[in-house]
Every structure is written in C-alpha cells, then in structure tokens.
Amino acid sequence: MKESVRILKNLEDESIEILRETAATFAKPVMMYSIGKDSSVLLHLAKKAFYPGFIPFPLLHVDTTWKFKEMIAFRDQVVADAKVNLIVHTNQDGVAAGINPFTSGISEYTRVMKTVALRQALDEHRFDAAIGGSRRDEEKSRAKERIFSVRGAGHSWNPRAQRPELWRSYNTRLASQETMRVFPLSDWTESDIWMYILQENIEVNPLYFAKPRPMVARGDQWIMVDDERFPLLDGETPQMRTMRFRTLGCYPLTAAVDSEAQTIEEIVEEVLQVKLSERATRLIDGAGEDSMEKKKTEGYF
Amino acid sequence: MVETDSVPHDTISAARFTRRSGSTISSGEVDYSLLTDGLEAEREQGITIDVAYRSMSLRDGKRLIISDAPGHEQYTRNMVVAASRADIGLVLVDATKGVRTQTLRHSTICAIMGVKRIIVAINKLDALGYSQEVYTQIHNELSPLFTKLGIDDVRFIPMSALNGDNVTTASSTMSWYSGETLLDAIQGWNPAAHVGSDSRMDIQLISRAEDFRGVSGTVHGAGFAAGDKVTVLPSKQKATIAKIVTYNNENATAGDLESVTLVLEPDIDATRGDVIVNDGNELEISNRYQAKIVWLHEEPLVQSRSYLLISGPTQAPVTISKIKYVLDVVSGEEKPAQKLQVNEIGLVEIATDRAIALEPYSQSRQYGNFVIVDRLTQQTVGAGMVEHSLRRGTNITHQAYEVARSDRSLQKSQKAQIIWLTGLSGSGKSTIANELAKQLFAQGFHAYVLDGDNLRSGLNMDLGFTPEDRAENVRRVSEVAKLMLDSGLIVITALVSPFETDRQRARSLVEEGEFMEIFIDTPIEICRARDPKSLYKKADSGKIPNFTGIGQEYEVPLHPELVIDGTKPLLDSVKLIMARIQ
C-alpha cells in the first residue's frame, strides 16, 4: 500500500473507532454539521462507521443567519442524500436584538450567535456528547485538546484540568452536569482532509472552488458581498475577482484567497504549496492572541 | 518541524514577534517554544503544562505525530500520557549540564510506557566547542541505564539545535561523528509488523439494520478472513465469520488496526466488551492481574476502594488489592508503600469483579493497558500496564449449587434484601436497626443486623479508620451481607460508610431491587449533642484523627432509596422502612 494511502487508512480507522465509541457510550450524542470540508469528511466517516445501519445520531447546524447562501443550499441537499435528521438552531434572542457582524463587534457577534446559540441547542435537546470536526493542526489551543474533551457546567472548558487520555482507552464517563465534546479528526491535517476528499470522491461546497466572485477589500483581506446586507462604503462597487475559500463560515468574516483551483486535484496541489495556516483567512481568530482558547472556555467549538 | 517546512509561515512569523513576559529572546528571533505551547497559562508562565500534538509529514512521506510533553517532575503524568502512544522517545540532554535526574526520569518513563526507540539528543555542544569528550562521557554514563531498562534501540546524537548541527543535516564541524542526524533517526523508524497468527477484535458495538446484525470493532493482530472459526470470550461460544463488511465492499479480510464489522454464523449473543479471537489463539481470561500503575490524580490511590477499569471497550469495577512497591524512577529503587500519590509509579495487584481478557503489556500495548476511573467524579485517576495474570483468579471457578437464593427466600416467605443504613456517628443507625429487627422478628421475618461497631471487635478488628481501612471495612461487610442475602435473609447493615464509591460498590454486588440504601439524615449538631459513645468529645479534642464529620468528610448519598429524618420519632422512621419491606 502506498504510504499516503496507508496514512489516510489509519486516520479513517481511528476516526471510525472514535465515532463508534461515542455512539456506544453516550445516551444522546449529536454531530455538529457546519457545512465545511471537515464536516463533509466527518459525515462520510459516520456513514462508514455505522454501515449498513443508519447514522445513530442527528446533525446540528448552528445557523447565525449570516452564512453564505451557497452553504445553506448545499447543506439541505447533502442532508437529504444522507438520510440523517438535521436540527438547525438560531439564537432568536440574538436575531431580535439585531446582533450582526458589522456593528455588534466580532467578539460579541461570535459569542451571541455562535457560542450562546450552541449552548442553547445542546441544552434544549439535552445532548450529552457533541461531535465536532476540529483538528489539532488548526490552532494552538486545539493542539492541546483531548479527543474526548469534558465540558463542565455551562459547557465550560477548563484547559488546565483536562482528563489524562492514554492509548485508545477512552474515558467517556460523565459526572453530574458534565457533557462531552468529541473530536474524531484530531490527528488529521488540512492536506489529509483534501487528499481524503479526493480519494473518497466526497462532495464539497462549491465555495471551495475558484470562480469570479463579487469581492471588496477590507484591510488586507478580500470579503465576498453575498447579499444586500453587506454595508458598502460610499461609491464602492464590488469587483469580480477569481478567488476561492479555504474555510467556510459567516460570509462577512471569512476571507477568500486568490486561486485558480477548480478541481479537488488542483486544491490539493495548492494546499501542499501554500504555507499559511487556513485560520489566516478567518477574521474571528485574529481578535486577540488567545481568542480561540477564550472562546473555547466559554463553550465555543 | 521548522526545518522540514511543516509549520505555516504565519505561525512562525507570530512566534517571531510575540513574546512571553520575561522572555529574553530578542524580537525578530523565533521563539520555538511558542509553536507548541498553545495555552494562555503556558505562554504567561513560560512553561509547558500539557501535551501538545502536532502532525507533520516527513520527507519520505511518512507521518509523524509529535507529542510535546512537559519535563518537570510535577508533570510526570502528562509525560506518561504523551509516551502512551509514542513509538519513539526523544530525550534531550543539555550538554552544558550533563545527565540530570530529569534525564533518568524521562528515560525510565519511556521504558515503562513501552517506547521502542530512544533517541538521546545531546544538545548545546556548540557551547562546549563541539567536544567529543563531553559527548562520549554522557553516552557512557547513560548506556548502562538503557541496558538496565531493557531498551536496546538507543541512538545518541551530538547536536547543536541552535546552529542546526545534526538536526536535519549532518554537522560539518563535528567531523568526529559520522552517524545519523535526528531526522534520519526518526525517519529510519519502522514499526515492527505483527508476528504470529493470533487475531483479536474487542466488540465496540452491535451493528443493526434491517435483516442485518453484525459486531463492530477494531481488528488487531494477524487479521480475519471470511470462513475463519472464532471464539467469543468470555462466553466461549464458537462461531464462523460469515462475512466482513465495510462501507466500500464486503471485503474478504480485515487486517491489523482496521475498523470493520463482522457477521457471525450462527448469530450468537455477543455484547460490547466481548472479545473475538481466532481459533488456536487460546487467550487467557482472569479477574486478577499484576500490573504497573501510574497514579495521575492528586487524591492518592486507596487500596480496597472500588474504581472502574477501562481498557478499550471493556469496563469493569476494579479494586487494587495490594501495593507491592512504589518505584523511585530516578534511583530505580523499589520501596514498600501503603499509598500511591500523584505521579508515583507502583507495582500492584488488581481484582476485577468479572474475568476480562488483558494481555501482558510487553506483548500487546493495545490489550495490556487500562485506565482507572474514580466512580464518583468519573475522573481518570490512574493508568495501568499489565505484567501478567495471577493464577489465583483463573483457578477459582465458581461452583454452582442447585438450591438457589430464590428457593431459600421462598422457603422463608420473604424477599431477601440488604437494608443499608448510612449516616454520621450518632445519627441513630443502630437504634433504627435494632427497632427494625425487633418488628421484623415479631412479624415472622428472618432478619439479621450487621453492626459496624460490633464487627470491628471481630471480623474487622485489624482495621482502623483511614480512608483505606474504611473502604476495606465496607468491602468486608458488603461481602458478608451478600452471603447472608444469598442464604435468604433480610440483612440490615448499620455502619457510617461515609464514601459514596464504597457504598456504590456494595450495591453493585447484588441484583437491582435487592439493595435499599437508607440515608439517616441527622444534623451533626444533634449527633454531637447525642454523642452516645462520647466519640465527638474525643474527636474534638483531637484524639480521633479520622472521625467522620470532623477530620474526614461524609459524602451524602446521591441516590438513596429512602432518606430518614433522624430528628423524627423512632417509630415513625421504622414505619417508613417497614412499608418498603413488605
């Protein structure tokens, strides 16, 4: 077996084992579905883990109402094909309060529409385990997190009091008020994700592929004008630039990169060349040196 | 990571201009520790606290996962976590300081955790004029240690990480060294292929779909193929693998480490935690093992307390029946001990409540490992590596007798059960037990009281009141109660039994519905005022160090069947209990 194929096989087997542990040991697990490439891979692995049975947990999408239009269309189609139950949750209090990424401030917007919304959804459905597609190579505090990562009361994360996690003997037990976050893709890298998408022929969102899109410059980042809610400056008109997205999120907070990549093969090629972390295109992660860790302690994924 | 261009450039650039407080590295230079120290607290304090994991690709396409562990003694447990999955251990020696106790500790932990190759990087030789003598001295000092630890694959590499000598490229200044670089020593590693024909799969879950039933899990060893004859443990049922199912195909084989689903013929009754082995692989199962344990929690290991053992999908209640010694990881000395404190490594005997299939860790890291979980807090408190099973466990087979508990209960026209009274000293347990026994006797029931104080003058006369002794006290009383229950009696126990885990263990010995935990809830001020045995007076004057409620905590039952208000009249309380018995 080719080394690159063997690496993907090992990662796949490990992730399937983690998904099965989750299904076998929790009363009410849920899988986060954020529509991006990692979610696509996670969903594919879940199909494999429980084949020929159905995926034994629902998917949860936290919709901030500011996602790219193409994301929502893609989500609904994928979910219909996969025959899984999808729960979509929006923080209606936040909507009523008019929280938005332009005038509320990025931190406040993220806290209300993502972190609080997620906590609401987990509480409402009494999920005791939430499976996420985070990878350790994404961000420095994620490199420190367990595969089975305990959350205390209020979904808080205490990075200094994590359970020791040894071998593959996972402690999935919960004390009163605790819940679990599960990260089956912990050991994967961005290029593993793309190589696997290529190998398994997994469908991904069209936003990942380069095409001329209506863009405006903000600082040194390019942001797509996805709908009429985008506040243009006086006299500003979006210009068409051939770009693609490395990660998907809320459109006003997700920058695009110049690219000509129109196939998965070309994306793989590009990812292997590019030497910037994918988080570089996410505006919410720049808001302070330890912002990811802080958000995570409050319950963010 | 940096030399092989495995770190994103924006991350390196951040490490160039971000500074920890008190950092002496000048701005513009890369502070490499920032590449893995990801937590706020680590950056503030300038130390590594927890393990960081980084995946990277080597030049030859192989995958390397770096587990960066802190090296200080108080973080031994984090080192153990990192080493538990590692093939290669990189022990860094600062040549300007020579071999230190830290070096010995790191090397010993690597050996205990089953790391196969050790690379000793002798660093900072640039500060000593690239001296071959220093290198040789450290080499000669450490070599016997690795021989003693039983690691034969050891590589010593003279290095200057600062100048890049022998990190990824051979040093031009240390011409006296012609061996491999650090990167060579890592890339050259090849995991040993499985030897032998044994195959094993622990069942993770039962896979069900319309007209389909299979068992899912991860395969280890030589692998399985359709048509293989297998045995399911512990039931020893025989079956044949009808087919092996994965998403892509119903492929014929399942190799080492593959996650698969097996369809068995006949479709025997198997459950999560059961073990499937191929015929000819006579796997021993036992409920007693000798194991090395690393203690991971601030609260020390308590002998006789019931914990939970987790090994892959296997879970079983476990007690540590004996601590044989605690190991001094620096001197290698084995010292007798009553307790295992956090970060200590000891050799122990464990007893599980049922036979499970563990293997020696030296033969199988996968099936020789287990973690120990506190049954109340659910914290992972210990990590274990099996040395061997103990014959005692396997040679005792349970003898079944034809007259059953139900027959004996029926003969006495009652439901045999355990009434477990728990509460502070002076809460009224013995008084309630006495009245209960009187009323039961009067109504023709067969009941018996096991009183904590009375038992301490006989069966438990060797026990004191430390947490360990209390755990053992409760263990013995629960075993006796179980025997009496089996004889068809209603058993009333009256003992403080202050710890939830110990009471839970007592409950776990018997069937559901046979155990009634009754919390006698009396405020400590009232118990103190009653003080029938003058114990509070003695405890207050410091004469009884481990007295519950004063020197030791009482853990209020989480889910008792009944709570009795100990300030209410005796006959009312007993009436409440009698109503539950009849």
Side-chain angles (χ1 to χ4, degrees):
Chain A
M1 201 186 283
K2 246 178 78 184
E3 188 64 17
S4 57
V5 176
R6 199 180 64 84
I7 289 170
L8 291 179
K9 180 80 178 96
N10 287 350
L11 289 168
E12 177 190 78
D13 286 324
E14 183 192 39
S15 301
I16 288 176
E17 183 177 69
I18 294 162
L19 287 168
R20 286 173 173 173
E21 276 306 281
T22 311
T25 58
F26 290 94
K28 204 174 174 193
V30 65
M31 181 185 272
M32 304 304 297
Y33 183 71
S34 66
I35 314 173
K37 62 187 188 306
D38 305 291
S39 284
S40 298
V41 167
L42 206 50
L43 182 61
H44 185 74
L45 290 166
K47 287 181 195 166
K48 286 195 165 193
F50 305 105
Y51 176 85
F54 293 118
I55 298 172
F57 36 70
L59 305 187
L60 171 64
H61 178 224
V62 173
D63 188 353
T64 58
T65 74
W66 291 92
K67 299 293 173 189
F68 290 92
K69 287 192 294 260
E70 283 166 278
M71 288 173 72
I72 303 299
F74 180 81
R75 175 193 76 191
D76 294 340
Q77 178 224 317
V78 164
V79 166
D81 293 349
K83 298 191 188 71
V84 284
N85 179 18
L86 171 76
I87 297 166
V88 177
H89 181 86
T90 298
N91 181 355
Q92 295 301 341
D93 301 341
V95 173
I99 302 289
N100 70 76
F102 299 111
T103 59
S104 307
I106 294 177
S107 305
E108 180 64 2
Y109 165 75
T110 304
R111 192 183 66 79
V112 175
M113 297 310 288
K114 298 179 95 169
T115 309
V116 174
L118 173 63
R119 294 199 309 232
Q120 285 173 344
L122 296 178
D123 288 340
E124 183 187 326
H125 297 276
R126 296 173 168 275
F127 292 122
D128 55 353
I131 304 160
S134 310
R135 310 185 317 268
R136 283 169 172 160
D137 81 326
E138 276 179 78
E139 204 276 336
K140 54 185 177 292
S141 66
R142 287 191 166 157
K144 292 271 167 179
E145 188 158 14
R146 306 291 184 252
I147 292 172
F148 284 88
S149 185
V150 177
R151 293 295 184 274
H155 306 281
S156 58
W157 184 51
N158 183 355
R160 298 203 62 179
Q162 298 193 74
R163 283 182 188 169
E165 190 166 72
L166 299 100
W167 303 288
R168 286 180 172 190
S169 290
Y170 300 115
N171 176 4
T172 57
R173 300 180 60 93
L174 297 172
S176 161
Q177 295 202 301
E178 286 179 346
T179 55
M180 194 69 85
R181 299 279 169 94
V182 186
F183 302 104
L185 302 181
S186 288
D187 287 336
W188 296 56
T189 64
E190 186 188 8
S191 60
D192 293 332
I193 293 287
W194 283 113
M195 304 276 263
Y196 189 70
I197 287 170
L198 180 63
Q199 175 188 298
E200 301 285 307
N201 201 13
I202 299 170
E203 204 181 346
V204 292
N205 198 284
L207 289 158
Y208 286 115
F209 301 103
K211 75 169 194 187
R213 302 175 193 277
M215 310 300 295
V216 295
R218 288 289 176 270
D220 53 1
Q221 305 270 35
W222 286 95
I223 306 294
M224 179 164 138
V225 181
D226 196 44
D227 61 33
E228 69 298 339
R229 292 179 295 178
F230 193 97
L232 293 168
L233 307 175
D234 275 349
E236 187 180 38
T237 46
Q239 49 171 296
M240 298 304 283
R241 266 179 93 97
T242 301
M243 303 190 91
R244 69 174 206 90
F245 293 87
R246 278 182 82 186
T247 70
L248 301 184
C250 300
Y251 84 81
L253 302 177
T254 310
V257 292
D258 286 314
S259 170
E260 299 291 334
Q262 297 193 7
T263 62
I264 304 283
E265 286 89 339
E266 286 166 2
I267 292 176
V268 170
E269 190 89 343
E270 188 186 286
V271 167
L272 293 175
Q273 305 285 324
V274 170
K275 292 297 177 184
L276 287 182
S277 70
E278 59 182 317
R279 292 262 140 199
T281 60
R282 303 197 71 147
L283 273 56
I284 57 170
D285 295 335
E289 171 61 11
D290 46 35
S291 61
M292 175 68 84
E293 182 179 343
K294 250 183 204 145
K295 280 181 293 190
K296 281 166 69 67
T297 57
E298 292 169 2
Y300 184 79
F301 245 95
Chain B
M1 282 160 53
V2 175
E3 293 290 321
T4 57
D5 204 9
S6 305
V7 184
H9 292 181
D10 51 329
T11 308
I12 296 183
S13 151
R16 216 180 268 285
F17 298 106
T18 314
R19 281 294 164 265
R20 306 166 188 263
S21 58
S23 171
T24 52
I25 300 167
S26 54
S27 185
E29 297 273 321
V30 177
D31 179 353
Y32 291 107
S33 65
L34 290 175
L35 299 181
T36 51
D37 285 352
L39 298 178
E40 205 179 326
E42 294 179 320
R43 291 166 171 249
E44 277 167 9
Q45 298 170 34
I47 51 161
T48 307
I49 296 168
D50 212 330
V51 184
Y53 299 90
R54 285 273 175 187
S55 291
M56 58 175 277
S57 292
L58 294 169
R59 284 177 184 157
D60 59 2
K62 274 187 204 151
R63 172 56 46 93
L64 175 70
I65 298 177
I66 297 177
S67 312
D68 180 36
H72 295 285
E73 187 177 5
Q74 72 263 36
Y75 298 120
T76 296
R77 55 180 163 178
N78 307 69
M79 255 177 269
V80 165
V81 168
S84 75
R85 288 181 69 174
D87 297 306
I88 306 172
L90 174 60
V91 176
L92 209 59
V93 180
D94 180 342
T96 63
K97 293 179 177 148
V99 173
R100 309 175 78 190
T101 56
Q102 196 151 284
T103 317
L104 305 176
R105 183 178 306 113
H106 297 175
S107 306
T108 307
I109 286 169
C110 283
I112 288 174
M113 299 309 291
V115 168
K116 293 283 180 289
R117 170 176 293 184
I118 301 259
I119 301 172
V120 183
I122 302 171
N123 193 26
K124 297 197 185 175
L125 280 170
D126 53 302
L128 301 167
Y130 293 103
S131 156
Q132 186 177 6
E133 285 93 292
V134 174
Y135 166 79
T136 309
Q137 192 196 329
I138 293 172
H139 177 289
N140 292 348
E141 196 178 339
L142 280 176
S143 286
L145 172 73
F146 291 112
T147 309
K148 200 178 121 200
L149 291 172
I151 296 188
D152 38 24
D153 185 354
V154 186
R155 322 278 167 121
F156 292 88
I157 301 175
M159 265 178 34
S160 163
L162 185 70
N163 299 331
D165 292 278
N166 290 330
V167 179
T168 57
T169 47
S171 169
S172 52
T173 38
M174 286 183 274
S175 51
W176 47 266
Y177 176 80
S178 56
E180 54 193 359
T181 63
L182 174 60
L183 185 63
D184 294 334
I186 293 170
Q187 288 196 148
W189 161 260
N190 283 305
H194 181 80
V195 187
S197 59
D198 57 304
S199 309
R200 167 173 178 166
M201 186 184 95
D202 286 17
I203 299 176
Q204 274 192 290
L205 54 80
I206 307 301
S207 171
R208 282 192 191 85
E210 219 174 315
D211 300 329
F212 180 88
R213 192 168 177 281
V215 290
S216 300
T218 306
V219 173
H220 286 266
F224 292 109
D228 280 3
K229 298 203 180 319
V230 296
T231 305
V232 181
L233 300 172
S235 65
K236 295 189 180 164
Q237 297 174 90
K238 301 270 183 192
T240 302
I241 296 177
K243 58 182 174 183
I244 298 171
V245 179
T246 64
Y247 185 71
N248 306 65
N249 56 341
E250 293 185 0
N251 56 346
T253 59
D256 195 24
L257 289 176
E258 287 187 56
S259 286
V260 299
T261 298
L262 308 179
V263 178
L264 300 178
E265 176 60 43
D267 181 17
I268 51 178
D269 182 31
T271 176
R272 173 175 160 85
D274 284 359
V275 180
I276 294 177
V277 292
N278 58 341
D279 276 11
N281 174 16
E282 294 306 321
L283 196 62
E284 192 182 13
I285 64 170
S286 174
N287 61 350
R288 311 269 316 221
Y289 290 92
Q290 178 161 303
K292 277 214 181 73
I293 283 191
V294 185
W295 200 248
L296 307 170
H297 201 260
E298 279 74 17
E299 201 175 304
L301 162 73
V302 178
Q303 265 192 70
S304 301
R305 171 164 291 180
S306 175
Y307 296 96
L308 188 76
L309 173 148
I310 297 179
S311 180
T314 300
Q315 296 196 358
V318 65
T319 53
I320 284 69
S321 46
K322 191 175 188 180
I323 300 175
K324 302 186 92 166
Y325 64 75
V326 54
L327 180 74
D328 184 324
V329 289
V330 175
S331 70
E333 216 181 315
E334 296 163 1
K335 301 171 185 160
Q338 292 302 311
K339 282 185 178 179
L340 272 190
Q341 309 282 357
V342 64
N343 292 326
E344 285 187 338
I345 298 170
L347 185 71
V348 304
E349 290 182 9
I350 64 166
T352 49
D353 77 336
R354 62 189 171 82
I356 54 176
L358 298 180
E359 299 178 41
Y361 190 74
S362 56
Q363 285 168 28
S364 167
R365 244 178 158 181
Q366 175 70 17
Y367 297 113
N369 82 65
F370 58 89
V371 298
I372 298 174
V373 174
D374 183 291
R375 296 179 71 178
L376 197 60
T377 63
Q378 310 295 1
Q379 275 285 344
T380 305
V381 293
M385 290 137 282
V386 172
E387 302 228 307
H388 52 78
S389 69
L390 294 165
R391 300 251 153 169
R392 262 173 301 191
T394 42
N395 286 349
I396 299 168
T397 40
H398 195 77
Q399 185 67 46
Y401 285 91
E402 285 181 27
V403 180
R405 172 188 313 174
S406 51
D407 302 324
R408 291 185 284 261
S409 285
L410 205 64
Q411 189 188 41
K412 298 181 179 66
S413 310
Q414 66 184 26
K415 180 174 181 287
Q417 54 193 299
I418 296 173
I419 319 279
W420 191 279
L421 306 179
T422 170
L424 292 169
S425 181
S427 59
K429 297 180 299 297
S430 301
T431 314
I432 290 172
N434 179 50
E435 181 60 30
L436 196 56
K438 267 164 62 185
Q439 293 195 18
L440 286 169
F441 186 83
Q443 293 186 27
F445 287 102
H446 300 259
Y448 190 82
V449 180
L450 292 172
D451 184 277
D453 285 343
N454 295 355
L455 289 168
R456 280 183 179 274
S457 63
L459 175 66
N460 294 338
M461 66 188 298
D462 56 325
L463 299 178
F465 295 89
T466 60
E468 294 81 3
D469 280 3
R470 283 188 186 276
E472 175 62 12
N473 183 43
V474 172
R475 190 190 72 79
R476 287 187 201 172
V477 174
S478 20
E479 290 289 350
V480 172
K482 185 187 167 190
L483 291 176
M484 298 182 105
L485 171 84
D486 203 43
S487 73
L489 292 179
I490 295 171
V491 191
I492 304 160
T493 69
L495 56 164
V496 180
S497 45
F499 303 123
E500 179 74 13
T501 60
D502 298 336
R503 294 189 300 259
Q504 274 184 13
R505 180 177 188 274
R507 181 189 290 273
S508 71
L509 289 177
V510 300
E511 303 288 314
E512 203 164 317
E514 291 179 339
F515 190 90
M516 192 195 302
E517 184 180 13
I518 301 179
F519 173 38
I520 313 297
D521 187 7
T522 310
I524 190 161
E525 306 77 52
I526 296 181
C527 298
R528 187 190 297 273
R530 286 179 186 163
D531 207 7
K533 297 162 194 161
S534 303
L535 293 174
Y536 283 91
K537 207 177 288 169
K538 284 187 204 161
D540 284 338
S541 65
K543 283 182 192 152
I544 311 177
N546 290 317
F547 193 71
T548 304
I550 296 173
Q552 224 173 52
E553 215 185 325
Y554 177 81
E555 294 170 1
V556 170
L558 296 176
H559 309 288
E561 273 72 13
L562 190 61
V563 179
I564 296 285
D565 183 344
T567 61
K568 292 275 160 60
L570 174 65
L571 292 179
D572 293 357
S573 302
V574 173
K575 200 170 164 186
L576 287 173
I577 303 174
M578 286 297 285
R580 293 253 182 165
I581 293 174
Q582 285 151 351

